[in-house]
Amino acid sequence: MSAESQIRMWESMRADARHQDNNIEKILSELENIVQNHTGGPSSSISGSSPTNPISPQVIHKFDVTHKQANEAVLKMQAYVGSMNEINKKLAAEGEAQAQLVSMTQFTQRFDDLCAEKNQVIRHLCREFTKKREHSELLSRVHTTITIHKESEEMRHLAGERDSI
């Protein structure tokens, strides 16, 4: 394959990687929205969670699906970056297109760095969601325990009054 055709292929992959980066940003925005707005935040009573109720199964499912989409999108972008790296290596080994190779290598490295950043954001959002879910479930259990305790106190008080009559 000629150097020109390899460069055209690399350019095509770069365009695909850019498109994939935009797609990942949309997915991450949706994932962040789920974490911030559906896990006990200001609008949580509307969206399936409240201080005394755990996060709804629908929200957990939506998070899981979106989390999976984000991971798959990053893997796809990493595949483009891997192919771009392979072309860079072939051109370097052949001694072709040295003037363009430096720029191509820099772009490829930047996309590789973007993949690492996206993975880091995904891990952060996953930890945040898990933390909020566990906190929500704990608050729900505490609220239930307090309610049970109050009800048993009322029953003891009523039983005491009944016995005194």
Side-chain angles (χ1 to χ4, degrees), residues 36-56 59:
Q36 297 303 321
N37 297 325
H38 298 284
T39 56
S43 63
S44 61
S45 60
I46 298 170
S47 59
S49 175
S50 74
T52 58
N53 293 327
I55 297 170
S56 72
V59 172

Side-chain angles (χ1 to χ4, degrees), residues 20-131:
Q20 193 63 21
D21 182 44
N22 290 333
N23 185 37
I24 293 168
E25 283 299 318
K26 289 175 188 171
I27 295 169
L28 289 179
S29 178
E30 183 179 345
L31 196 62
E32 186 174 17
N33 182 43
I34 294 167
V35 171
Q36 297 303 321
N37 297 325
H38 298 284
T39 56
S43 63
S44 61
S45 60
I46 298 170
S47 59
S49 175
S50 74
T52 58
N53 293 327
I55 297 170
S56 72
Q58 295 85 359
V59 172
I60 293 170
H61 177 72
K62 185 174 182 179
F63 176 85
D64 290 342
V65 167
T66 307
H67 179 245
K68 182 180 177 186
Q69 289 173 343
N71 282 327
E72 290 171 353
V74 171
L75 286 174
K76 189 173 182 181
M77 185 170 168
Q78 287 172 326
Y80 290 132
V81 172
S83 296
M84 291 164 66
N85 265 324
E86 289 300 314
I87 291 172
N88 291 346
K89 288 176 187 176
K90 285 179 187 175
L91 289 172
E94 295 169 0
E96 299 284 331
Q98 294 301 312
Q100 293 171 311
L101 189 57
V102 172
S103 174
M104 291 169 62
T105 302
Q106 289 172 342
F107 275 113
T108 303
Q109 182 59 48
R110 179 65 187 132
F111 279 115
D112 194 39
D113 292 344
L114 282 173
C115 288
E117 289 172 18
K118 305 294 184 199
N119 276 323
Q120 188 175 20
V121 169
I122 291 169
R123 284 191 305 272
H124 170 74
L125 289 172
C126 190
R127 283 190 307 268
E128 188 71 21
F129 184 79
T130 300
K131 184 176 93 175

